[in-house]
Amino acid sequence: MFYLTKYYKYLIGMICFFPALYGILTILNGRRQPSFKSWMSGYHVWKGKGIFNFLILGVFFLNCFLIPVCMGQKVSAEISLNYAKASQGLNPNGTRFNQSDILSNAVLERAIEKGALKGVTAGNLKSALWVSPLVQGSSDNENAYFISTQFGLFYNAKKSTAHLNGETLVRLVAESYKEWFVHEYSENVKVLRMDFSQIGQRDYLDICKYLRKQAESIGSYMLTMSNEEAAFQSETTGETFQSISSQAYSVANVMAESLEAYVLESGISKETTEYVGRLSFQNVFKYFDAQKAKAASENNLTAIAMYENDMARIVLVPTYDINDQFYMSQTRIGIDDFAAAADSYANTKTEIHNQMAKNDHILNMLSKMSVPDGTDEKAERLIAQIEAELNRLALEAENLVKEYSTQQANKYMSIKVITLEDQIFSVIIKILEYTLLFAVSMHLCMFAVHINKKSRRRMS
């Protein structure tokens, strides 16, 4: 059946060729005879030709069946890229677009899995499919340069894929590529994956810091997304990037702060001696870091004092602009760098002193309390509440980002499969063409037979 449909047009052509050739040669030879016009007038298209007309009708019905099948073995789809960077030959993230990804093994295997296609491999599909730009520029002339944003996905059935529906296959491959494209170029949501499996091994104040950072990471990520599309809202939950960001920062500034306040006020720790020793050790190093920052700041201030008067003379330089207008140009001098460095080191020193003061406060609170080491029931309950809230926010944030990415991908790419219904007029024309070709060839042959019979009667 595959070979019949694949070579049907050649078969019908060969069937029509020999009768038509016989008829044409006979007619050309008969035109030399004086009775040719009478033979033509005596030939009837319908009369006495019931079996031939029935044969033509049979071919018509055969064409009605086989031609749609033949056209179904050659299907195409249009893939259009609709984002701005596509005209530059780039993906949404700025990397180089590669049309070969449309027929990558990952895409074809996904199409097989998605359609539950049996009896085919990715290699079979790749041999029956190819991709080509629908509009191409020319490399011969710079004015004719053009980067296509529309690609055709073409299918020509092979023996290994002939049992598949061509339209379904092309649609599966195109949709699988779109899914791959969405996954490949959508936002990375790994930062939203919460993992609290190891948190129980930490001390309570370390847990507070960890939970606060996790909440702030969700809030920061959502703020970034909000800057990209502030008006986007989930169709299922009604949440926006800004609303989830506010909730995340609320966890950091309220729930995590409340947990830390309770831990400090109660002076609880899983291992007080170890934690106090660690903070004291940190303060020693922080003290040396503060001294280094202080010395660096003073060195830069000293350099400014040494060279300020000489360097200030070249702050303004006489010059001309592009319109030949005279003006005094202010230049960047070394003193600017010295001042910026001195200010940076001074801020670093102040920040280190603040961290040391906080550590001293914690040491003071822990030293006053006589609570035994170990777990605290209320602290554990507060931690569980914060974890549950962070898990909820992370899941909502991830779903919102995926929903946004899917919506954007729908804008990025559009797919149109050229179905048999879209080609109905072409199908009808081909059916009529093949039927008419067969009918003409048969009538040429029958007319030749008619001429030969008349000639034999005339001769007898």
Side-chain angles (χ1 to χ4, degrees), residues 352-412:
I352 294 173
H353 281 156
N354 290 336
Q355 293 173 358
M356 292 174 62
K358 184 175 181 179
N359 287 348
D360 288 337
H361 174 66
I362 295 172
L363 290 171
N364 185 45
M365 295 298 293
L366 291 177
S367 64
K368 290 181 179 180
M369 298 298 177
S370 58
V371 179
D373 294 347
T375 59
D376 181 85
E377 183 177 348
K378 182 177 179 180
E380 295 291 335
R381 187 168 63 251
L382 292 174
I383 291 171
Q385 291 175 359
I386 297 174
E387 288 179 1
E389 183 65 12
L390 288 177
N391 281 324
R392 182 189 69 81
L393 287 174
L395 181 60
E396 286 193 3
E398 183 175 347
N399 291 336
L400 185 61
V401 171
K402 287 181 177 179
E403 189 176 341
Y404 172 73
S405 297
T406 302
Q407 185 191 81
Q408 290 299 105
N410 289 331
K411 296 178 182 178
Y412 287 158

Side-chain angles (χ1 to χ4, degrees), residues 65 154 188 190 257 276 333 395 459:
F65 170 72
F154 303 96
N188 188 348
K190 289 183 179 179
E257 287 289 345
V276 167
I333 59 177
L395 181 60
M459 291 176 64

Side-chain angles (χ1 to χ4, degrees), residues 287-303 341-342 345-346 349:
Y287 172 77
F288 288 114
D289 289 340
Q291 292 299 106
K292 287 168 59 178
K294 178 182 178 181
S297 178
E298 291 175 349
N299 287 339
N300 280 278
L301 293 174
T302 301
Y345 284 121
K349 182 188 71 172

Side-chain angles (χ1 to χ4, degrees), residues 57 168 191 215 231 264 289 299 323 345:
L57 186 62
T168 302
V191 70
L264 286 176
D289 289 340
N299 287 339
N323 297 320
Y345 284 121

Side-chain angles (χ1 to χ4, degrees), residues 7 87 124 135 153-154 181 184 196 244 259 309 317 340 369 375 387 397 439 443:
Y7 300 108
S87 60
N124 297 143
V135 182
L153 174 61
F154 303 96
F181 193 87
E184 191 72 13
F196 301 116
I244 294 181
L259 173 63
N309 292 332
V317 179
M369 298 298 177
T375 59
E387 288 179 1
H443 278 285

Side-chain angles (χ1 to χ4, degrees), residues 88-236:
Q88 304 171 27
L90 302 176
N91 292 310
N93 63 353
T95 58
R96 179 64 58 187
F97 176 82
N98 189 349
Q99 71 180 48
S100 64
D101 290 332
I102 299 174
L103 295 182
S104 64
N105 287 335
V107 171
L108 296 180
E109 288 170 1
R110 173 57 183 156
I112 294 172
E113 178 186 356
K114 189 174 182 179
L117 305 180
K118 296 181 179 180
V120 292
T121 63
N124 297 143
L125 296 185
K126 189 170 289 188
S127 66
L129 294 162
W130 75 94
V131 177
S132 177
L134 294 180
V135 182
Q136 296 190 75
S138 172
S139 59
D140 299 332
N141 183 2
E142 184 176 351
N143 296 326
Y145 289 170
F146 179 79
I147 297 177
S148 179
T149 59
Q150 291 182 306
F151 298 87
L153 174 61
F154 303 96
Y155 168 71
N156 190 3
K158 302 293 183 181
K159 188 176 181 180
S160 58
T161 64
H163 62 286
L164 302 175
N165 182 286
E167 290 180 11
T168 302
L169 176 60
V170 169
R171 182 175 285 104
L172 284 171
V173 173
E175 290 178 353
S176 297
Y177 173 66
K178 188 174 183 179
E179 289 180 6
W180 177 88
F181 193 87
V182 171
H183 179 268
E184 191 72 13
Y185 301 110
S186 60
E187 297 291 336
N188 188 348
V189 294
K190 289 183 179 179
V191 70
L192 300 175
R193 308 284 169 79
M194 299 290 105
D195 182 12
F196 301 116
S197 58
Q198 305 296 322
I199 197 172
Q201 301 176 7
R202 306 185 182 194
D203 212 329
Y204 285 118
L205 287 174
D206 293 332
I207 292 175
C208 294
K209 294 178 183 177
Y210 178 79
L211 293 176
R212 184 183 294 107
K213 285 183 179 179
Q214 292 297 95
E216 289 174 348
S217 68
I218 296 175
S220 176
Y221 189 94
M222 291 294 98
L223 276 181
T224 302
M225 295 301 300
S226 179
N227 292 334
E228 183 174 333
E229 185 58 68
F232 181 76
Q233 186 175 26
S234 172
E235 294 181 358
T236 55

Side-chain angles (χ1 to χ4, degrees), residues 75-82 102 131-134 149-154 170-171 174-175 177 413-419 422:
V75 186
S76 64
E78 296 178 5
I79 299 176
S80 302
L81 306 178
N82 305 320
I102 299 174
V131 177
S132 177
L134 294 180
T149 59
Q150 291 182 306
F151 298 87
L153 174 61
F154 303 96
V170 169
R171 182 175 285 104
E175 290 178 353
Y177 173 66
M413 185 184 302
S414 58
I415 297 171
K416 177 177 174 53
V417 178
I418 311 302
T419 64
D422 297 331

